[in-house]
Amino acid sequence: MAADLSRRTFLKATATATAATYASRVLPAWAADGRGAVAVTPPLATFPYSDVELLDGPMKRQFEENHARFLNLDDDRLLKVFRQVAGLPAPGEDMGGWYDLTGFSLTGNDFHGFIAGHTFGQYVSGLARAYAVTGSEATRAKVHRLVRGYSETLDAKAKFFDDYRLPAYTYDKLSCGLIDACEFAQAPLAMDTHEKLTRAMVAYLPEKALSRAEQRSRPHKDTSYTWDESYTLPENLFLAYQRSGKAFYREMAKRYLEDDTYFGPLSQGNNVLPFEHAYSHVNAFSSAMQAYITLGSEMHLRAATNAFHMLETTQSFATGGWGPDEAFGEPGRGQLGDSLASTHASFETPCGAYGHFKITRYLLRVTRDSHYGDSMERVLYNTILGAWPIQADGTSFYYSDYATTGKKGWHRDKWPCCSGTFPQLAADYHISAYLRAADGVYVNLFAPSVVRWNDGGGKYSLTQQTKYPFENKVQIQVSGTRAAEYTIYLRIPAWSGSEPMLSVNGKRVSGPVNPGTFAAVRRTWKDGDRVELELSMPLRLEPVDDNHPRLVALMRGPLVLFAIANSQPAFDGAELLRSQLSNNAAGDLIANSVEATPVSMRPFMSIDKESYSTYVQLKS
Ligand SMILES: [Zn+2]
């Protein structure tokens, strides 16, 4: 590896079996089409899925559970609703839940057949990404079969969407699945099918992105449910443009940017989040980021950056989750604290975490600000890693419950939205742990894992071993077929106590190691070099909001510690901060309540059926 690790050689160096598709991202043809768009190359890029391997731990387990669940789901069942509408033979059992064609009635509080086939594209996407990670031939073949099977049901007018309740919602997910099937699993029919579908969808979509207020003001023949999510379309349309080079995708993406009522005000610092639907409006932030990357639109970068700040400072719980009852509230009114007494639907977990990972990854790539990695890991450890796995019949984990006294539970309906985002997110753990720069590698998540790349005929890797966040030490083993100069950047979380210890081969590094930054270690790395990071994890208390200063969550490092109890316990604040680590496998701390009762304080990942309080009362 050359001593000077130029961007070009580094990017070329990461070439692997998937590099042919990846190269188009490095020097994209669409970026120089001379039609006024000035694309931006963010300073950080994701590694290909295949370059990162998760080692034993909860992230790997979730990825494998999701991969197996959808690999083993019968093709005929997945394709049934599309075949039924197309008048083709439609063997196989009904999927059940939201996925089927008939039976929906809001009045009967029955969501059976809510949005037929809505998650098909997400299951294809999750499988395509899983193939990119594992190279599993059975997975690749399944993606190809599903794309072919779906394409056989698609006519030039996409009549599946006649009288369909939420056309933009389901189209967006099909769009993502077909793009991923092409990009990661090389499904030959995927992009032609995508274009045929997209051209037909124009007849079913509004002329522009509609806010919910605009949708409510328009008469709709289906009065039972009139919300659709046209404002989330641009991200995948921009990706389709990048994949195909076809300008009609780019022009269509521009049309569905919700600039007038959302991104415009957000870019000016005007907080228009209140009362909007939470997940889909966070998902829309990623459309703003694609507008920045594809068109060079600074306004959209400002909108996304401001909106994310508003999300964190006015809508978020200590866990990193947001949007009780799937809605944003008005800042300054104590809505988060009030929600603890009024709802168990505190955070739409798989969907919310998926959207949160996407926007933090985009913002991290563009800004290199470690704060976005801190936010990502908060959501990782306190929400999604504690979600129960999707069951064979489609029974799914949906809401995290932060009520005064809460419990984990299954969602009422089978195959809900959250069964679509979960397999996508679990695959995305691979592209979230490390990022690559012109001059080296960013270590963003601390997790047992390996990242591998090639450069100039040399092969290199970093292997992380850690029990983080249950322990505070991270070890990284450097491997390389030859010595090479590059920089390893390590995220030093903002919560970490003073003087994090960072050493190479047992010797403390001389450069700055400041909480809230990436610490940079540049040297000529040799095979067998060892990097060690030791973070102090002081206990701290976070109030739920300014109006409820005595309702607090106990935190250690990135972890919220939930009080295991049948009713909300009360503590003396100083006593709570004296909680002692226990030696049990759950990672509990033990705190004495005001009644001098020892209470187990447990991470969400370690909670199963027991009742808990996310927030406890402070008596003094
Ligand atoms: Zn969901």
Side-chain angles (χ1 to χ4, degrees), residues 452-568:
R452 300 184 174 90
W453 71 96
N454 301 331
D455 184 51
K459 289 178 185 295
Y460 303 89
S461 69
L462 304 179
T463 302
Q464 264 197 79
Q465 298 288 357
T466 182
K467 293 198 169 72
Y468 182 95
F470 298 105
E471 292 180 4
N472 65 342
K473 293 194 181 87
V474 178
Q475 293 182 316
I476 297 173
Q477 175 94 16
V478 178
S479 298
T481 50
R482 42 183 106 153
E485 184 183 358
Y486 57 93
T487 307
I488 298 177
Y489 295 88
L490 295 116
R491 184 172 54 84
I492 310 298
W495 46 254
S496 58
S498 58
E499 302 205 28
M501 288 273 288
L502 178 59
S503 60
V504 175
N505 300 331
K507 189 163 170 247
R508 198 159 177 172
V509 303
S510 54
V513 184
N514 296 323
T517 68
F518 279 98
V521 188
R522 184 168 188 88
R523 54 185 271 136
T524 300
W525 295 100
K526 295 186 300 296
D527 195 50
D529 283 344
R530 283 176 297 113
V531 180
E532 281 157 320
L533 176 64
E534 190 173 332
L535 299 164
S536 59
M537 294 182 164
L539 293 172
R540 63 194 193 280
L541 303 178
E542 283 196 13
V544 64
D545 58 39
D546 291 345
N547 302 53
H548 301 87
R550 299 199 156 270
L551 280 176
V552 299
L554 175 65
M555 299 200 68
R556 179 173 185 266
L559 288 174
V560 174
L561 296 156
F562 296 67
I564 303 304
N566 291 318
S567 63
Q568 187 182 45

Side-chain angles (χ1 to χ4, degrees), residues 293-356:
I293 289 169
T294 315
L295 308 173
S297 170
E298 295 282 345
M299 183 277 268
H300 288 98
L301 175 60
R302 272 199 310 280
T305 310
N306 290 347
F308 189 79
H309 181 72
M310 293 165 193
L311 177 75
E312 279 202 304
T313 55
T314 69
Q315 308 292 339
S316 294
F317 295 103
T319 59
W322 31 258
D325 290 326
E326 301 195 29
F328 292 134
E330 275 187 289
R333 294 180 173 255
Q335 45 108 0
L336 291 172
D338 290 346
S339 79
L340 307 182
S342 65
T343 186
H344 294 274
S346 305
F347 176 49
E348 185 187 353
T349 297
C351 289
Y354 178 61
H356 202 97

